[in-house]
Amino acid sequence: MTALPLTTLPTATATATATATATATAAAARRTLRTHREGPVLTVELNDPEQGNAVTDALLDDLLTVLQEQDPDVRVLVLAGSGDDFCLGGDRGEFTRQLAHDPRGGDIRLTGLKARRVCDALTTNPAVTIARVHGKAIGAGFALALACDLRVGSEDATFRLPELALGLPTAWGGLLPRLISEVGAARVRDIVLTGRAITAAEAQSLSILQRVVPAHELDAAVAEWARPIVRRPQAALRVTKTLLNSLSAASRLADVSALDAELMAAVVTESHHARGTG
């Protein structure tokens, strides 16, 4: 991604009595995102490259904060990832820690609810959301990209849903109904049941991506999409997005993704208890 003067969104907030030095130290120690605003275009970059931008509870909190506090003058929101990959999915280590804290799966359930809120906030965002995908987009990373209106990927981009191989249901952020709506049920069965990697070229043929470009052209492709969008009258743009979302949702015969958090918590806790008694 082209180097930009990005501002850091810390996961910790300063209390009224905290000093400026303490606040800066906490922010530097616990950042998960970088944001950059250029006129009506807001770029939000997942910023934990050492961990493959893994989706953690803290990252979900930060994404919710950005999306909920978004300036109404933002017309385009770009979701990107730092480092070699867009996002390698959920942090499995955090699952283990959450189970240790609450063996009944309450923490996992709460994280699942946050995931649903984040993905819904991307889909229903008043701005047009663009996923800028490079490298791997796995599991939760796949879901975050799919929640965006427009998706452009580099030629080396790949997508994968390995949840079954990991003993998990494909239940995160409303991914399945979105994927079936975009791709079709028969093809989704292949993607989910095999867990195979999908190349950028195949992803475009399946409408997971709308554009594929060489890696060095990703920023130009995003700008090419954003340029006409930011000139559209704001009210017309917002209403048109709402119409597109409503018509897309109407094509889903049964969207049970509200159960994602419950299903994930149930499977993870059952597997955990089975290992403990085996």
Side-chain angles (χ1 to χ4, degrees):
M1 186 174 182
T2 301
L4 294 170
L6 300 169
T7 58
T8 299
L9 175 76
T11 60
T13 57
T15 65
T17 58
T19 65
T21 301
T23 302
T25 301
R30 300 201 284 173
R31 66 185 152 213
T32 69
L33 303 178
R34 294 192 295 179
T35 64
H36 172 67
R37 173 81 179 270
E38 189 170 336
V41 179
L42 174 65
T43 298
V44 179
E45 186 179 23
L46 311 182
N47 188 42
D48 190 4
E50 292 80 11
Q51 301 300 320
N53 300 319
V55 177
T56 62
D57 207 51
L59 182 141
L60 291 173
D61 284 336
D62 285 353
L63 279 171
L64 279 173
T65 297
V66 168
L67 296 170
Q68 290 170 350
E69 297 181 357
Q70 182 178 314
D71 188 324
D73 289 333
V74 169
R75 304 287 187 89
V76 173
L77 186 147
V78 181
L79 184 65
S82 61
D84 294 333
D85 298 294
F86 176 75
C87 176
L88 297 184
D91 184 344
R92 294 177 64 198
E94 187 167 70
F95 265 12
T96 301
R97 293 188 294 273
Q98 288 175 326
L99 280 172
H101 178 258
D102 183 354
R104 293 175 299 179
D107 290 346
I108 292 174
R109 191 174 296 109
L110 289 174
T111 297
L113 292 173
K114 287 181 188 177
R116 172 65 183 268
R117 290 171 61 198
V118 167
C119 289
D120 283 351
L122 285 168
T123 299
T124 63
N125 198 294
V128 173
T129 51
I130 300 175
R132 178 197 183 279
V133 183
H134 72 290
K136 297 180 180 68
I138 298 176
F142 192 157
L144 289 173
L146 197 70
C148 295
D149 299 308
L150 300 172
R151 301 173 292 274
V152 59
S154 60
E155 291 172 335
D156 69 337
T158 59
F159 296 80
R160 192 160 65 91
L161 295 174
E163 280 77 3
L164 276 181
L166 300 173
L168 301 172
T170 308
W172 196 94
L175 167 66
L176 271 184
R178 284 190 180 90
L179 191 58
I180 290 171
S181 178
E182 298 283 75
V183 173
R187 289 170 172 173
V188 171
R189 290 189 191 98
D190 169 35
I191 294 168
V192 170
L193 297 178
T194 67
R196 64 183 180 82
I198 301 165
T199 65
E202 184 180 5
Q204 185 176 25
S205 74
L206 294 173
S207 299
I208 293 168
L209 292 173
Q210 288 109 322
R211 290 190 67 182
V212 174
V213 298
H216 68 276
E217 295 180 13
L218 267 176
D219 290 321
V222 170
E224 186 178 342
W225 262 338
R227 199 174 298 116
I229 292 170
V230 299
R231 295 197 297 263
R232 303 295 180 248
Q234 194 164 17
L237 182 65
R238 184 176 62 252
V239 169
T240 299
K241 239 201 88 159
T242 301
L243 285 170
L244 289 169
N245 285 334
S246 298
L247 291 168
S248 175
S251 68
R252 303 171 190 167
L253 294 178
D255 181 351
V256 296
S257 59
L259 298 175
D260 279 0
E262 292 290 342
L263 295 171
M264 181 65 76
V267 172
V268 171
T269 53
E270 181 179 332
S271 299
H272 174 70
H273 292 315
R275 286 194 298 271
T277 58

